[in-house]
Amino acid sequence: MEIPIQQLIEEIKAKKVFGRNKKRVELKILSALLYFYGLSLRKTSKFISLFQQISHESVRIYYHKIKGVLKPPEKKDRRLIAIDETKLKLGDEQIFVWSAIDVDTKECLFIWATDGRSSFHAYVFLKEALKYCENKPEVIVDRGFWYKWALQRLRLKCRHETFGERNAVERFFSLLKRRTKRFFNRFLPRSSFESVQSWLESFMGFYNLEVLS
């Protein structure tokens, strides 16, 4: 699939995402994409600096800021969404990352980091994901007990699967974990929950840009 680079350039310039800057917009986009695809901040900086000097901190900023022009999921009828959560770390503390994937389009509807995993977390997560659905789609879940009350509260039909169409969310988490493995599935201790959420939203934005292009 071909990512619409020219469209990104035009939207970044129109929205003045970076303000006045001598660095070329094309290189900023390329920096963010290389980091999304798996290079470290420093390796990305080293490669891009062959064309124009860019620091690893600048690469980090570009990755977070470009999500401002990446379109959110469209609100429409959706047949089936698969939901799940996975574990990462923020410093030495365990956190949970929740994700909802449209089984048909493969796009990520919502991603969310929390410090706990409960029925209330599941309810808030599902309610946010439903903002991108015109209807109330059927939901695929695993056996996590924390989903039961949330699904009942929101009056959502669900089915339990380990494989099959639930693989849509498993594949998404496989890509996410492949990326976070580069920093040992652990965000730095000095990172805030806000920065972790921003990182995840950027990942979701670039992922959706690719699967929908």
Side-chain angles (χ1 to χ4, degrees):
M1 296 181 181
E2 184 177 345
I3 290 179
I5 298 295
Q6 189 56 44
Q7 181 181 337
L8 274 180
I9 292 171
E10 292 171 2
E11 290 181 0
I12 286 171
K13 288 180 177 178
K15 293 185 178 181
K16 299 180 180 179
V17 172
F18 299 110
R20 293 184 178 181
N21 195 307
K22 293 181 180 179
K23 308 297 184 184
R24 292 169 54 192
V25 173
E26 295 89 339
L27 291 182
K28 293 176 181 180
I29 294 171
L30 180 57
S31 297
L33 284 171
L34 288 174
Y35 179 67
F36 166 72
Y37 283 123
L39 287 187
S40 68
L41 293 173
R42 293 186 183 277
K43 285 184 177 179
T44 301
S45 168
K46 187 175 181 180
F47 176 77
I48 296 297
S49 291
L50 294 172
F51 307 96
Q52 189 174 17
Q53 196 67 35
I54 288 177
S55 69
H56 71 276
E57 176 61 14
S58 293
V59 175
R60 186 190 68 81
I61 291 170
Y62 302 157
Y63 176 75
H64 283 267
K65 278 198 168 185
I66 289 177
K67 74 171 181 290
V69 301
L70 300 177
K71 291 182 173 58
E74 179 185 353
K75 185 173 183 178
K76 63 180 185 180
D77 280 354
R78 298 183 186 275
R79 177 184 69 90
L80 185 66
I81 61 174
I83 63 173
D84 202 359
E85 75 290 331
T86 192
K87 298 175 184 176
L88 291 175
K89 284 198 168 183
L90 173 51
D92 293 327
E93 301 297 321
Q94 182 173 270
I95 63 173
F96 298 90
V97 176
W98 308 68
S99 183
I101 304 295
D102 183 309
V103 170
D104 298 316
T105 66
K106 303 302 184 287
E107 66 190 304
C108 181
L109 304 183
F110 185 57
I111 193 166
W112 189 38
T114 63
D115 59 359
R117 180 173 60 183
S118 67
S119 296
F120 178 74
H121 288 111
Y123 173 78
V124 173
F125 163 67
L126 278 165
K127 196 169 182 181
E128 288 297 316
L130 287 174
K131 289 181 179 179
Y132 304 101
C133 306
E134 290 281 5
N135 59 330
K136 287 193 173 183
E138 186 176 9
V139 179
I140 300 178
V141 297
D142 60 12
R143 294 290 178 179
F145 67 87
W146 42 86
Y147 289 118
K148 184 176 180 181
W149 176 81
L151 289 163
Q152 290 174 344
R153 179 84 175 179
L154 292 167
R155 298 179 181 179
L156 292 170
K157 290 175 57 180
C158 75
R159 69 175 190 249
H160 298 91
E161 278 189 10
T162 305
F163 300 103
E165 292 186 297
R166 187 174 175 276
N167 283 342
V169 71
E170 293 294 341
R171 283 193 294 269
F172 175 80
F173 277 136
S174 177
L175 289 172
L176 177 65
K177 284 293 189 73
R178 191 183 308 163
R179 180 65 193 86
T180 58
K181 187 178 179 181
R182 298 288 185 175
F183 44 88
F184 307 103
N185 296 321
R186 182 191 304 266
F187 292 94
L188 292 174
R190 64 174 179 268
S191 302
S192 64
F193 245 97
E194 290 76 14
S195 67
V196 170
Q197 183 63 31
S198 177
W199 191 97
L200 292 168
E201 289 171 0
S202 292
F203 183 88
M204 167 183 152
F206 283 113
Y207 166 84
N208 283 346
L209 181 67
E210 183 177 40
V211 298
L212 296 177
S213 295

